[in-house]
Structure formats: C-alpha cells, structure tokens
Amino acid sequence: MLKNKPLIVGIGGTPRLGSSSERALAVSLKAAEAAGARTLLFAGTELALPIYAPGQELPDRAERLLAALRECRGLIISSPAYHGSISGLIKNALDYAEELRTDSRVYLDEMPIGCIACAGGWQAAGQTLSALRTVAHSLRGWPTPFGAMLNTSNSLFDADGNCTDVSVKRQLETVAQQVIGFIRMQSGADAVTQLAPVDAVAG
C-alpha cells in the first residue's frame, strides 16, 4: 500500500454530464483508490473555465483546480477526440498549469501522468493520445508507458457508468496502476539518504 494516501487528480470529460471520457476517468480513478490513493475528479462544468490568459484574475474554480494540482502526486487526463486532438475544454484547463511556473515544483515536474483518449474511431484516438503525451512532457511530467485508447463507437459503459468491456476496463485500470507504481518508486527513492559516488559505480 501507499504511505499517507497520496492524492491523484483526474481531469477529463466534456460539458455533457456522464460522457464516455468522464466515465472512463472515473473507472481509472476507482482503480487508483483501490491501490491506496485518494482521488479528486474535475469534469464537466468544473472545467468550463474562461480562456486562460496570463495575469488574469483567477476564478474560484481555477483556484480549486490549481490547489489540487499543487497537492497531488499523480494526474490522470481523459480527453475526447475533437477533430483529431484533445478538446479545447481539456487543453484550456491544462493551460492554467502555467500558474505553477514559479512554484517550488515547477509545473508538474516529475509527476506521473496517465493518459486516456476516447474517440469514435481508432485514428483519432491514437492522435489524441499522442497529443496528451506531448502536453504532459511540456509540463515536465512523465506520461505512463501505457496509454488507454477507447473506441467509443461501441457501447462501453452501462447506465451507472460501469465499464462493460473487460479489455477496456483492464486498460483503464492499467493506467492507474502505472501512475501508482511510479509514485511508489519515487517514494522509495525519497527514502534513500545517500547514493554511491559516481566514480565508485563506474569502476
């Protein structure tokens, strides 16, 4: 189990309540909770923020999102594919991370970031996953090796939001498990108080 229940933040969905990308994110966050984390989901209208502009007065919803990003140890992003890339809603929410540029942990430095792309076809899903990973890199985060791609032209969730496709559910759980695994590795590294000198390792 993880020490002190680290916070994993989820960002995803569309303005429509219960979208496939929001439901996929909820499944992944549930797996993170099962592995010992706390989770906080930002979706739908919570992400309906003004277009980000440096120096603007931040709305309360943006302040809550930034407070969560400052506290969390991991992030999972779930975006629908809009015309071959991530949606404007998700991109704009992530643009607010620019406010973290002067923090002691700049942006999302060294944070594990799980990526989920939902699309009505495989081509758009692949392009959207690639875009999510690029944004994660730009914010100095570590995209997980495994990224989930969901073809939502098929029915994947029931009316209660449960994933009805075993393979898809495994994908979403794997994303969460890799975020948690990275946090475990970081926690182990933090416990090391002294490393061997470089020349001793070399020979």
Side-chain angles (χ1 to χ4, degrees):
M1 295 297 287
L2 292 166
K3 185 177 181 181
N4 299 327
K5 286 188 173 291
L7 177 64
I8 307 297
V9 166
I11 294 175
T14 73
R16 178 174 60 85
L17 183 66
S19 65
S20 295
S21 50
E22 181 179 341
R23 288 179 170 180
L25 180 58
V27 171
S28 195
L29 291 177
K30 184 176 180 180
E33 290 175 357
R38 294 178 293 127
T39 66
L40 188 57
L41 187 153
F42 290 86
T45 56
E46 293 175 293
L47 299 178
L49 302 168
I51 296 297
Y52 177 72
Q56 71 180 352
E57 183 177 352
L58 298 175
D60 289 343
R61 282 175 294 176
E63 292 282 13
R64 288 194 293 271
L65 175 61
L66 290 170
L69 290 176
R70 286 185 167 108
E71 181 186 353
C72 73
R73 295 282 304 279
L75 175 66
I76 300 176
I77 310 168
S78 178
S79 177
Y82 280 12
H83 305 119
S85 190
I86 64 178
S87 70
L89 184 77
I90 300 300
K91 179 60 168 64
N92 186 55
L94 293 172
D95 284 344
Y96 275 83
E98 178 64 18
E99 296 295 314
L100 310 178
R101 66 190 179 278
T102 57
D103 285 15
S104 56
R105 180 180 69 185
V106 181
Y107 298 125
L108 305 177
D109 191 42
E110 297 190 357
M111 184 184 297
I113 300 177
C115 300
I116 302 168
C118 300
W122 292 118
Q123 179 173 311
Q127 292 172 174
T128 301
L129 179 61
S130 178
L132 284 170
R133 285 174 161 160
T134 297
V135 172
H137 277 136
S138 297
L139 291 171
R140 304 190 187 184
W142 295 88
T144 54
F146 184 83
M149 293 195 304
L150 279 62
N151 186 343
T152 55
S153 62
N154 302 313
S155 179
L156 303 177
F157 303 95
D158 64 21
D160 296 321
N162 300 305
C163 187
T164 56
D165 186 298
V166 174
S167 176
V168 168
K169 185 171 185 286
R170 187 177 300 116
Q171 283 192 58
L172 298 172
E173 291 173 343
T174 298
V175 169
Q177 289 161 0
Q178 289 193 350
V179 170
I180 295 297
F182 195 99
I183 293 172
R184 285 197 178 103
M185 287 189 290
Q186 286 180 319
S187 299
D190 291 342
V192 176
T193 57
Q194 184 175 0
L195 296 175
V198 173
D199 55 353
V201 174

